[in-house]
Amino acid sequence: MRGTTVLPGEGNSGLPGEEGMPTHRLEVPMPNALPFAIGTFDTIGPMSRAAFPHRHTFHEIVHVTGGTGRHVVDLAGFALRPPNLFFIAPGQVHHWENVTGLEGSVILFTDDFLLDHPADGHALRGLGRRSWLELRAEAADAISRLVAELDGEYRAGADGFQGVLRALLHVLVVRAARLPAHHPDAAPPAPHTRPGSVAAAFVALLGTPEGSLWSVRESARHLGVSESYLSEAVKTSTGRTPGELIRQTRVHEAKRLLLRTELSVRQVAGRVGFGDAAYFCRFFRRETGASPGDYRRGRGDIHHDHRLESIARAQPSA
């Protein structure tokens, strides 16, 4: 799994009112590549400790075991008091301030990795709103063991490792959600804004059975806003357009059905809102690089490269 940082003026990364905000995307080069990586701050690369504000299109969990400084998520800053656990959801803006001696593990994954536990996506976004967990004694030991198991399983890449990784990640998310949040020195949270609320409502809508089947226009009508307002609010909050998120959700559900059910391709197409199976196949290939049939046949052949490539491929201009 490789990452890129899309800088202002490159592609479609510019966000309304946020010129100069880099957007970091993960690239999964093969249709059956594992959309997951874990490593240290050094092996993941310089972007894992970036000192400039940037946003992601993927999930990041950071387990800090050493170091001093601050981690800033959106407008709230948190002083490091290792061990800490940080959650950054897609679209959140974060950076590190005055950090020295940073040690720990970084876990990166896309929504595609949550096929077995789709509800974890909602839990992760809730943890992203809390952002920062201070780990106490027993909880710290349990989290350290889980992260170490994830790292060992990822590096070994033994038969069935992807299922074990998904199960361990699920346990980590569930246990983290139970932990109390301690914010003794956090800056005041960002003010509640209507664009942010609209974007959150749109993301929640996509998590409902019917939400991902609606068009951007239908979604806007359901949320009581104009199509242009919805587009700007979602792009500002997540770094992606409503159309991109709808396509991502449909592809995610199609992948789940192809891998976890015996439904025919035509039936899968109908379940994700396509009346024409041929059009669905073209859509799926365009979005994933593989046909539905090839994707299903390749479910047991997950590509895994032990040589984790650096995710830092560009830096913002001075």
Side-chain angles (χ1 to χ4, degrees):
M1 189 165 65
R2 177 181 303 168
T4 59
T5 303
V6 182
L7 301 180
E10 298 179 6
N12 297 317
S13 61
L15 305 179
E18 291 190 320
E19 291 78 5
M21 179 69 68
T23 299
H24 183 216
R25 296 183 172 89
L26 286 185
E27 297 174 351
V28 181
M30 299 169 59
N32 63 338
L34 188 69
F36 176 97
I38 181 172
T40 66
F41 287 95
D42 289 334
T43 59
I44 292 292
M47 276 296 294
S48 65
R49 54 166 69 88
F52 55 88
H54 62 286
R55 65 171 81 243
H56 300 160
T57 61
F58 53 90
H59 299 275
E60 179 173 352
I61 302 174
V62 184
H63 181 223
V64 178
T65 58
T68 60
R70 280 164 47 92
H71 187 215
V72 181
V73 182
D74 294 327
L75 297 182
F78 308 95
L80 299 185
R81 294 190 182 91
N84 295 128
L85 198 60
F86 291 94
F87 289 83
I88 304 99
Q92 286 190 288
V93 177
H94 81 118
H95 68 282
W96 302 85
E97 286 184 347
N98 303 317
V99 169
T100 59
L102 191 58
E103 296 179 355
S105 298
V106 181
I107 305 170
L108 311 174
F109 53 95
T110 67
D111 281 325
D112 277 348
F113 194 67
L114 305 176
L115 286 174
D116 289 344
H117 303 284
D120 283 356
H122 178 73
L124 284 161
R125 286 173 172 82
L127 285 164
R129 288 191 291 273
R130 293 168 62 188
S131 300
W132 183 88
L133 296 174
E134 184 175 315
L135 303 177
R136 308 288 176 85
E138 185 177 343
D141 291 340
I143 294 298
S144 292
R145 288 194 297 270
L146 270 173
V147 173
E149 281 195 75
L150 277 163
D151 185 73
E153 194 69 31
Y154 177 79
R155 293 180 183 282
D159 290 346
F161 78 102
Q162 63 269 26
V164 177
L165 287 174
R166 288 187 170 99
L168 290 171
L169 180 64
H170 174 63
V171 173
L172 177 60
V173 171
V174 171
R175 289 186 177 174
R178 297 172 180 169
L179 297 174
H182 302 281
H183 292 173
D185 65 341
H192 190 67
T193 63
R194 186 165 184 251
S197 298
V198 168
F202 176 73
V203 171
L205 182 64
L206 291 183
T208 64
E210 71 281 357
S212 65
L213 304 181
W214 294 349
S215 66
V216 176
R217 178 176 298 176
E218 290 168 330
S219 299
R221 185 181 303 118
H222 178 82
L223 295 173
V225 297
S226 68
E227 188 174 348
S228 61
Y229 187 90
L230 176 64
S231 295
E232 183 171 349
V234 171
K235 185 73 178 292
T236 299
S237 298
T238 71
R240 289 174 287 180
T241 67
E244 287 173 332
L245 292 177
I246 289 174
R247 291 195 299 274
Q248 173 188 296
T249 303
R250 289 187 177 185
V251 168
H252 181 76
E253 178 63 8
K255 286 180 175 180
R256 189 188 69 80
L257 293 172
L258 288 167
L259 295 182
R260 304 291 182 256
T261 74
E262 298 301 322
L263 294 173
S264 68
V265 171
R266 183 178 298 277
Q267 289 171 318
V268 171
R271 292 284 186 93
V272 296
F274 291 85
D276 184 338
Y279 180 70
F280 164 71
C281 289
R282 291 195 297 273
F283 164 82
F284 191 87
R285 181 183 289 277
R286 185 180 71 242
E287 295 295 322
T288 69
S291 70
D294 287 343
Y295 182 81
R296 170 173 272 171
R297 285 188 290 273
R299 60 184 158 188
D301 181 24
I302 301 296
H303 174 74
H304 180 267
D305 189 343
H306 297 275
R307 298 165 301 171
L308 183 63
E309 298 185 51
S310 170
I311 65 172
R313 291 171 53 84
Q315 296 289 336
S317 304

